Structure formats: C-alpha cells, structure tokens
C-alpha cells in the first residue's frame, strides 16, 4: 500500500484530488495536512475522512516538528503539495504571508522529506534515496508572467512572475528544482492554468459571479474585461497530477492546460447565461434568489439576470493580460488530454451551488467521523442554519436532532456556554445515528 501526504487538501484543487485518488485506487492511504485557513473547508472532504484510507491532521506546512512526526509515523511514499496562499489580490495586500507559506513552507516539506527518504550516500557523494518516493509540487502558469495576443507558455518559457503571489510560487518551484539538482531528490512539478469546478472558493471569479447573481448584486469585472485566461476543469487537472506523480519523469516540469482560452468578460457572460438557462429549465431554482420580482406569469422573474449586471471596476495592480498553456509535453509523454470543454464544465459548479442553496447539496458527516478527524466545533444558531466559529468554514445543519455543542476533546470552546449549548455526553458523541449536514456553499 502506498501512502500519500497531501497538503492543502481542504482547499479547492486538493479536495478534488483526494476524491479522485480514493475513487480510483483501493490500495492507498492519504494523510491530509491542512491549516484550515480562510480558503480551507473541512466539510468538502468530510465524507472522505474515514480514519483508515484517509486521515486528517490540522497543521502548518511551516511546522518542522510536525512534518518530521508525520513522516516518521506514516512513512510516506509521495508528497503532493497543494498548500499555498493563492489569491493575487491578497498577495498585493500582504506579500509577506505568501513568502512564509509558499516558499518557506515548501522548503520545510522538502527538508522533512529529504531527512525521511535518504538511506545513505553514493560513491559520487550524492544521497541515495528510498525506492519509489516522489515529491510533487503543484504550481501555476502565472510563474511565466504575461503573454501578448499570440503564443503559449511552454515548459522552457523563462520564468517572469509579475505579482507577489506568482513570485512566491516561482521561488517555491526553484527550491524544488534546486533540491533535485543538489541532492538528486526525486521531484516533479506541474504548472496549471486557471481551474474551475466543484468546491471552488467564492472569492474566485466564477463562484463569485454565481454568488452575486443569486444575491442580486452587480458583477464586478476588472478593467475592460479583455484579460485572457485558459480554463481547466479541476477533475482534468487532478488526472494530470495523478499521471505525473506515477509516470512522469523525475525532475521534469509538465504544463497542464485546458484548451479553453477565454476573455474574463466572456466567462462572466457565459456564467450569466448558464444560470439563466438553469432557472428557465428548472424554475424551482429561482427560490434561492434574494431578488424575488414576480413576473406577469406569477412566477419569480429572471428577466433581470442578464449582461446589465456587469460593472467594470478599476483594474488590478499589475494585472497580467493573457495566460495560455501548451500541454503538448504531458500529452505526448503521458497521454493526458483535457476532457471537459468549458461550456459543459461550467454547468457542474453552477448546479452544485444551486442545489446547495436549495438544501440538496449537503454532505452527510457522521458525528463519530468528526471525532476521528480530531476537530472541535462550536455550533452557533442563526435562523434555520448553524455557522461554525473560528477556523472552520462552511455551514453546518443538524437534522432530526436539537442543536448542540460538539467537542472532540475535553476542551470547551469559550463560545459554547454563551450560546446556550453545552458539551454532550461522550457516549452520545460517538453515536452513529447522529448526522451533521455540511453545506458546500
């Protein structure tokens, strides 16, 4: 059985990756290491954390002692590093945070892996590595900078980052390459284009547009909306990473693109049309709209869901004009190609968000699985839903049971008593009949 350390797997791409891996392979074990920052949602992988094939550890990739403990305990065969601060706007506001997590965190993992995987020294002086191990760095096409109207990013394109975020990812990539050159560490890197799909964090373009439509808000578009991105469906990206870590050449970089080059304004308009079409075909979805105008037919009107919602705002500082990936290398070497065209893929996250808002998109999480994940939660009532306090994210709804405070340890949250909820008896905590439903919104 192969064992994987997957960092940042409570985030968007990482969550999809572990779902892909657990569905495809029976003989693997995954340990998720995630700090559960603002973009981490334990609810997205709750159904996968069973304590047997998949375990969760809350922690920081910058914590060397923790990394060493995990390598010693689980004897990892693979490290797949998704953990990163990834939002460009946030990097402009606080560049130092991106240096700490993206650069120092990656170097910390590299060193922990080196300590655990080196078995001796060859006559050449280079380390001897345990057979079959691999450190894989998940990177971005933004390390290449910006393109003009023509051309594509190739693996040999010079690195030319333009934002604090892309500079930090470039630095992390260079550290990975340096460990390969200096220590002959078995590594690989994938650089992907913009991802979209299930569990996308709502500050990103597509889920933000959907959220604003449902809330009846304007749709902000930077500059004139002509910035171009190549869009890759997240499940296709996960398949590419799977192919690279198992069959890709050691020390190589592989570009992963979706052949879906579109201007931002095109993305926004297509998302508007998709939501409008879904609500036309299934009028019950209109119930989730905050703006409920009644039309002449007596139904909630969606006539206002059109391009007039678009508002152009001041452009982002240093906004790259165009990204476009050439994935020829991974196609030729590993046979990978993107399978999902954008017009089809965009429907999936749209339907997912609508069903979640309708109350159909909840993941059922048994209470004993929460305890196995070693987390503790305060449930705070707000109308008919319950929100999680502190580092946890998502909406929790308990059905067929009263609201309560759940503790995975003897500690009591300072918010518990003020909310009128107290720790339940330990015997009841492990009841397999109690379910918590976790919204993916």
């Amino acid at each position: 059985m192969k064992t994987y350390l997957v960092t940042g797997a409570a985030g968007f791409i990482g969550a999809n990756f572990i779902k892909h891996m657990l569905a495809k392979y029976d003989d693997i074990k995954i340990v998720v290491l995630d700090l559960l920052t603002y973009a981490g949602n334990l609810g997205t992988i709750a159904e996968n954390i069973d304590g047997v094939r998949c375990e969760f550890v809350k922690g920081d990739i910058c914590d060397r002692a923790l990394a060493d403990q995990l390598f010693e305990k689980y004897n990892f065969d693979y490290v797949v590093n998704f953990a990163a601060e990834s939002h460009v706007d946030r990097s402009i506001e606080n560049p130092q945070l991106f240096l700490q997590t993206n650069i120092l965190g990656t170097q910390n993992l590299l060193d922990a892996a080196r300590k655990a995987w080196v078995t001796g020294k060859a006559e050449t002086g280079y380390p001897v590595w345990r057979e079959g191990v691999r450190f894989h760095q998940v990177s971005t096409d933004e390390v290449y900078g910006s393109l003009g109207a023509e051309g594509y990013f190739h693996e040999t394109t010079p690195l030319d980052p333009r934002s604090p975020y892309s500079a930090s990812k470039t630095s992390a990539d260079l550290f990975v390459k340096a460990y390969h050159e200096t220590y002959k560490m078995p590594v690989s890197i994938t650089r992907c284009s913009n991802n979209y799909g299930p569990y996308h964090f709502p500050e990103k373009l597509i889920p933000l547009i959907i959220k604003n439509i449902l809330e009846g808000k304007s749709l902000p578009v930077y500059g004139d909306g002509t910035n171009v991105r190549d869009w890759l469906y997240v499940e296709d990206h996960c398949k590419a990473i799977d192919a690279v870590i198992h069959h890709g050449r050691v020390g190589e970089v592989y570009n992963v693109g979706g052949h879906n080059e579109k201007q931002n304004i095109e993305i926004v308009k297509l998302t508007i049309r998709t939501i409008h079409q879904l609500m036309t075909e299934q009028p019950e979805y209109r119930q989730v709209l905050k703006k409920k105008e009644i039309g002449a037919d007596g139904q909630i009107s969606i006539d206002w869901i059109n391009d007039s919602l678009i508002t152009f705002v001041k452009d982002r500082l240093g906004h790259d004009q165009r990204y476009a990936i050439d994935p020829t290398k991974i196609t030729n070497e590993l046979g990978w190609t993107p399978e999902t065209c954008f017009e089809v893929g965009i429907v999936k996250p749209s339907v997912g968000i609508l069903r979640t808002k309708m109350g159909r998109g909840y993941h059922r999480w048994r209470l004993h699985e929460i305890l196995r994940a070693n987390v503790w939660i305060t449930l705070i009532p707000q109308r008919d839903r319950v929100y999680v306090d502190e580092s946890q994210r998502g909406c929790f709804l308990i059905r067929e049971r009263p609201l309560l405070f759940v503790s995975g340890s003897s500690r009591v949250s300072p918010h518990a008593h003020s909310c009128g909820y107290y720790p339940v008896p330990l015997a009841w905590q492990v009841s397999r009949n109690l379910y918590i439903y976790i919204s993916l919104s």
Side-chain angles (χ1 to χ4, degrees):
M1 175 181 286
K2 298 295 185 179
T3 304
Y4 298 72
L5 173 62
V6 183
T7 67
F12 167 43
I13 305 175
N16 280 279
F17 178 73
I18 69 164
K19 290 176 185 294
H20 162 78
M21 295 293 288
L22 291 170
K24 182 176 178 180
Y25 301 103
D26 294 326
D27 58 340
I28 66 170
K29 181 181 182 67
I30 293 177
V31 177
V32 173
L33 175 62
D34 199 298
L35 190 55
L36 296 178
T37 58
Y38 73 96
N41 184 349
L42 193 58
T44 61
I45 56 173
E47 63 180 358
N48 305 108
I49 301 171
D50 60 5
V52 180
R53 298 183 67 220
C54 185
E55 296 186 26
F56 175 80
V57 177
K58 182 178 179 181
D60 191 341
I61 63 172
C62 295
D63 186 338
R64 179 55 188 272
L66 175 61
D68 287 341
Q69 290 170 12
L70 293 177
F71 272 92
E72 182 177 356
K73 179 178 180 180
Y74 294 103
N75 196 30
F76 298 118
D77 300 287
Y78 297 92
V79 174
V80 184
N81 184 30
F82 289 96
E85 295 288 340
S86 64
H87 197 262
V88 175
D89 287 346
R90 289 177 182 266
S91 80
I92 294 171
E93 294 297 323
N94 184 7
Q96 188 172 47
L97 177 61
F98 285 67
L99 271 65
Q100 292 169 346
T101 301
N102 298 357
I103 303 174
L104 297 180
T106 299
Q107 188 275 330
N108 186 59
L109 290 174
L110 286 164
D111 234 27
R114 181 168 68 99
K115 177 183 176 182
W117 289 346
V118 170
T119 60
K121 182 182 289 188
E123 292 182 359
T124 59
Y126 288 106
V128 175
W129 296 84
R130 200 180 92 205
E131 189 69 26
V133 296
R134 174 73 68 96
F135 186 103
H136 183 76
Q137 174 75 358
V138 181
S139 189
T140 169
D141 60 356
E142 295 189 42
V143 301
Y144 295 121
S146 183
L147 288 168
E150 298 180 352
Y152 296 91
F153 293 137
H154 304 273
E155 287 82 0
T156 56
T157 299
L159 303 180
D160 186 24
R162 305 293 184 89
S163 70
Y165 161 63
S166 58
S168 69
K169 291 296 288 184
T170 302
S171 300
D173 287 6
L174 292 176
F175 263 101
V176 174
K177 294 286 285 184
Y179 269 62
H180 174 66
E181 295 296 333
T182 304
Y183 307 111
K184 302 304 179 187
M185 187 175 192
V187 305
S188 51
I189 299 173
T190 47
R191 293 175 179 149
C192 68
S193 55
N194 281 36
N195 279 221
Y196 69 102
Y199 316 118
H200 212 166
F201 190 68
E203 72 179 4
K204 301 294 187 175
L205 178 61
I206 293 173
L208 177 64
I209 294 303
I210 297 173
K211 176 177 177 289
N212 280 14
I213 292 173
L214 300 186
E215 294 179 356
K217 297 179 179 178
S218 61
L219 311 181
V221 176
Y222 278 129
D224 60 4
T226 60
N227 301 77
V228 175
R229 300 294 181 264
D230 175 24
W231 291 88
L232 174 66
Y233 192 62
V234 66
E235 291 179 11
D236 292 338
H237 184 197
C238 293
K239 292 176 182 178
I241 296 171
D242 179 8
V244 170
I245 62 178
H246 292 115
H247 306 294
R249 288 184 289 144
V250 169
E252 291 295 312
V253 174
Y254 293 88
N255 284 350
V256 185
H259 294 304
N260 281 311
E261 224 182 303
K262 295 186 183 298
Q263 293 183 343
N264 287 346
I265 191 65
E266 292 181 78
I267 298 297
V268 174
K269 290 181 177 181
L270 181 55
T271 304
I272 293 170
R273 291 198 301 272
T274 300
I275 295 297
H276 191 282
Q277 181 179 346
L278 288 170
M279 290 189 173
T280 299
E281 295 172 351
Q282 300 188 58
E284 64 270 23
Y285 284 150
R286 303 181 191 189
Q287 296 297 327
V288 305
L289 293 171
K290 286 191 176 181
K291 183 177 180 179
K292 291 183 170 64
E293 296 180 351
I294 305 302
D297 58 358
Q299 293 191 36
I300 297 173
S301 175
I302 56 172
D303 293 342
W304 56 272
I305 301 179
N306 56 52
D307 293 353
S308 66
L309 292 172
I310 296 172
T311 300
F312 294 98
V313 298
K314 185 178 180 180
D315 207 357
R316 169 193 287 164
L317 298 178
H319 199 178
D320 292 338
Q321 181 58 36
R322 176 173 170 260
Y323 304 146
I325 283 276
D326 178 1
T328 299
K329 179 177 177 179
I330 190 174
T331 299
N332 290 345
E333 290 191 15
L334 305 178
W336 176 89
T337 56
E339 301 171 10
T340 310
C341 72
F342 188 85
E343 288 73 15
V344 172
I346 187 61
V347 174
K348 297 181 182 181
S350 301
V351 169
I353 291 173
L354 290 172
R355 286 182 175 173
T356 296
K357 297 292 186 181
M358 291 284 290
R360 300 176 183 174
Y362 290 93
H363 272 273
R364 189 168 70 176
W365 194 4
R366 293 179 189 271
L367 184 53
H368 73 278
E369 292 174 338
I370 292 179
L371 302 181
R372 187 183 297 131
N374 193 30
V375 299
W376 58 291
I377 304 164
T378 302
L379 301 179
I380 304 175
Q382 181 170 332
R383 296 184 180 176
D384 60 338
R385 296 192 295 178
V386 177
Y387 290 86
V388 181
D389 107 294
E390 296 173 351
S391 63
Q392 308 297 322
R393 294 286 172 177
C395 304
F396 286 65
L397 173 64
I398 297 182
R399 294 190 176 164
E400 301 176 355
R401 292 283 187 179
L403 302 179
L404 66 149
F405 169 78
V406 181
S407 176
S409 69
S410 60
R411 296 178 297 170
V412 177
S413 165
H415 298 283
H417 292 208
S418 65
C419 297
Y421 299 106
Y422 299 85
V424 296
L426 195 59
W428 194 24
Q429 287 183 7
V430 298
S431 167
R432 292 173 181 267
N433 298 320
L434 180 62
Y435 296 96
I436 290 181
Y437 289 75
I438 303 167
S439 167
L440 303 181
S441 61

Coordinates of all heavy atoms in Angstrom, one line a residue, residues 318-348:
G318 N -0.9 45.6 -11.7 CA 0.0 44.6 -12.4 C -0.8 43.5 -13.0 O -0.3 42.3 -13.0
H319 N -2.0 43.7 -13.5 CA -2.9 42.7 -14.0 C -2.3 42.1 -15.3 O -2.2 42.8 -16.3 CB -4.3 43.2 -14.2 CG -5.3 42.2 -14.3 ND1 -6.7 42.5 -14.5 CD2 -5.3 40.8 -14.2 CE1 -7.4 41.4 -14.5 NE2 -6.5 40.3 -14.4
D320 N -1.9 40.8 -15.2 CA -1.4 40.1 -16.4 C -2.5 40.1 -17.5 O -3.6 39.8 -17.2 CB -0.9 38.7 -16.1 CG 0.3 38.7 -15.2 OD1 1.0 39.7 -15.2 OD2 0.5 37.7 -14.5
Q321 N -2.1 40.3 -18.8 CA -3.1 40.4 -19.8 C -3.5 39.0 -20.3 O -4.7 38.8 -20.5 CB -2.5 41.2 -21.0 CG -3.4 41.3 -22.2 CD -4.7 42.0 -21.9 OE1 -4.7 43.0 -21.0 NE2 -5.8 41.6 -22.5
R322 N -2.6 38.1 -20.5 CA -3.0 36.8 -21.1 C -2.2 35.7 -20.6 O -1.0 35.8 -20.5 CB -3.0 36.9 -22.6 CG -3.3 35.6 -23.3 CD -3.3 35.8 -24.8 NE -3.4 34.6 -25.6 CZ -2.4 33.9 -26.1 NH1 -1.2 34.5 -26.1 NH2 -2.6 32.8 -26.7
Y323 N -2.9 34.6 -20.2 CA -2.2 33.3 -20.0 C -2.7 32.3 -21.0 O -3.9 32.2 -21.2 CB -2.5 32.8 -18.6 CG -2.2 33.7 -17.4 CD1 -3.0 33.7 -16.3 CD2 -1.1 34.5 -17.4 CE1 -2.7 34.5 -15.2 CE2 -0.8 35.3 -16.3 CZ -1.6 35.3 -15.2 OH -1.4 36.1 -14.1
A324 N -1.8 31.4 -21.5 CA -2.2 30.3 -22.3 C -1.2 29.2 -22.3 O 0.0 29.5 -22.5 CB -2.4 30.8 -23.8
I325 N -1.6 28.0 -22.0 CA -0.7 26.9 -21.8 C -0.6 26.0 -23.0 O -1.7 25.7 -23.6 CB -1.2 26.0 -20.6 CG1 -0.9 26.7 -19.3 CG2 -0.7 24.6 -20.6 CD1 0.5 26.4 -18.7
D326 N 0.6 25.5 -23.3 CA 0.8 24.5 -24.3 C 1.0 23.2 -23.6 O 2.1 23.0 -23.0 CB 1.9 24.8 -25.2 CG 2.2 23.7 -26.3 OD1 1.4 22.7 -26.3 OD2 3.1 23.9 -27.0
P327 N 0.1 22.2 -23.5 CA 0.3 21.0 -22.8 C 0.8 19.8 -23.6 O 0.6 18.7 -23.3 CB -1.1 20.7 -22.3 CG -2.0 21.2 -23.4 CD -1.3 22.4 -24.0
T328 N 1.5 20.2 -24.7 CA 2.0 19.1 -25.7 C 2.8 18.1 -25.0 O 2.7 16.9 -25.2 CB 2.7 19.8 -26.8 OG1 1.9 20.7 -27.5 CG2 3.2 18.7 -27.8
K329 N 3.7 18.5 -24.1 CA 4.6 17.6 -23.4 C 3.9 16.5 -22.6 O 4.2 15.3 -22.8 CB 5.6 18.4 -22.5 CG 6.6 17.5 -21.8 CD 7.5 18.4 -20.9 CE 8.5 17.6 -20.1 NZ 9.4 18.5 -19.3
I330 N 3.0 16.9 -21.8 CA 2.3 15.9 -21.0 C 1.4 15.0 -21.9 O 1.2 13.8 -21.6 CB 1.4 16.6 -19.9 CG1 0.9 15.5 -18.9 CG2 0.3 17.4 -20.4 CD1 0.2 16.1 -17.7
T331 N 0.9 15.6 -23.0 CA 0.1 14.7 -23.9 C 1.0 13.7 -24.6 O 0.6 12.5 -24.6 CB -0.6 15.6 -24.9 OG1 -1.5 16.6 -24.3 CG2 -1.4 14.8 -25.9
N332 N 2.1 14.1 -25.1 CA 3.0 13.2 -25.8 C 3.6 12.2 -24.9 O 3.7 11.0 -25.3 CB 4.1 14.0 -26.5 CG 3.6 14.8 -27.7 OD1 2.5 14.6 -28.2 ND2 4.4 15.7 -28.2
E333 N 4.0 12.6 -23.7 CA 4.7 11.7 -22.8 C 3.8 10.8 -22.0 O 4.1 9.6 -21.8 CB 5.6 12.4 -21.8 CG 6.8 13.1 -22.5 CD 7.8 13.6 -21.5 OE1 7.7 13.2 -20.3 OE2 8.7 14.4 -21.9
L334 N 2.7 11.3 -21.6 CA 1.8 10.6 -20.6 C 0.4 10.3 -21.2 O -0.4 9.6 -20.5 CB 1.7 11.3 -19.3 CG 3.1 11.7 -18.6 CD1 2.8 12.5 -17.4 CD2 3.8 10.4 -18.3
G335 N 0.1 10.8 -22.3 CA -1.2 10.5 -22.9 C -2.4 11.3 -22.3 O -3.5 11.0 -22.6
W336 N -2.0 12.4 -21.5 CA -3.1 13.1 -20.9 C -3.6 14.2 -21.8 O -2.8 14.9 -22.5 CB -2.6 13.8 -19.6 CG -3.6 14.7 -19.0 CD1 -4.5 14.4 -18.0 CD2 -3.9 16.1 -19.2 NE1 -5.3 15.4 -17.7 CE2 -4.9 16.5 -18.4 CE3 -3.3 17.0 -20.1 CZ2 -5.4 17.8 -18.5 CZ3 -3.7 18.3 -20.1 CH2 -4.8 18.7 -19.3
T337 N -4.9 14.4 -21.9 CA -5.6 15.5 -22.6 C -6.7 16.0 -21.7 O -7.4 15.2 -21.0 CB -6.1 15.1 -24.0 OG1 -7.0 14.0 -23.8 CG2 -4.9 14.7 -24.9
P338 N -7.1 17.3 -21.8 CA -8.3 17.7 -21.1 C -9.5 17.1 -21.7 O -9.6 17.0 -22.9 CB -8.2 19.2 -21.3 CG -7.4 19.5 -22.5 CD -6.4 18.3 -22.5
E339 N -10.5 16.7 -20.9 CA -11.7 16.0 -21.3 C -12.9 16.9 -21.3 O -13.9 16.6 -22.0 CB -11.9 14.8 -20.5 CG -10.8 13.8 -20.5 CD -11.0 12.7 -19.5 OE1 -12.1 12.6 -18.9 OE2 -10.0 11.9 -19.2
T340 N -12.9 18.0 -20.6 CA -14.1 18.8 -20.3 C -14.0 20.2 -21.0 O -13.1 21.0 -20.7 CB -14.3 19.0 -18.8 OG1 -14.2 17.7 -18.2 CG2 -15.6 19.6 -18.5
C341 N -14.9 20.4 -21.9 CA -15.0 21.7 -22.5 C -15.7 22.7 -21.6 O -16.5 22.3 -20.7 CB -15.7 21.7 -23.9 SG -17.5 21.5 -23.8
F342 N -15.4 24.0 -21.7 CA -15.8 24.9 -20.7 C -17.4 25.0 -20.6 O -18.0 25.1 -19.6 CB -15.2 26.3 -21.0 CG -15.5 27.3 -19.9 CD1 -14.7 27.4 -18.8 CD2 -16.6 28.1 -19.9 CE1 -15.0 28.3 -17.7 CE2 -16.9 29.0 -18.9 CZ -16.1 29.1 -17.8
E343 N -18.0 25.0 -21.8 CA -19.4 25.1 -21.8 C -20.2 24.0 -21.1 O -21.3 24.2 -20.6 CB -19.9 25.2 -23.3 CG -19.6 26.5 -24.0 CD -18.1 26.6 -24.4 OE1 -17.4 25.6 -24.3 OE2 -17.6 27.8 -24.7
V344 N -19.5 22.8 -21.0 CA -20.1 21.7 -20.3 C -19.7 21.8 -18.8 O -20.5 21.7 -17.9 CB -19.6 20.4 -20.9 CG1 -20.1 19.2 -20.0 CG2 -20.2 20.2 -22.3
G345 N -18.4 22.1 -18.6 CA -17.9 22.1 -17.2 C -18.5 23.2 -16.4 O -18.7 23.0 -15.2
I346 N -18.9 24.3 -16.9 CA -19.4 25.4 -16.1 C -20.8 25.1 -15.5 O -21.2 25.6 -14.5 CB -19.5 26.7 -17.0 CG1 -19.9 27.9 -16.1 CG2 -20.5 26.5 -18.1 CD1 -18.9 28.3 -15.0
V347 N -21.5 24.2 -16.1 CA -22.8 23.8 -15.6 C -22.7 23.1 -14.3 O -23.5 23.2 -13.4 CB -23.5 22.9 -16.6 CG1 -24.8 22.4 -16.1 CG2 -23.8 23.6 -17.9
K348 N -21.6 22.3 -14.1 CA -21.5 21.5 -12.9 C -21.4 22.3 -11.6 O -22.1 22.1 -10.7 CB -20.3 20.5 -13.0 CG -20.4 19.5 -14.2 CD -19.2 18.6 -14.3 CE -19.4 17.6 -15.4 NZ -18.2 16.7 -15.5

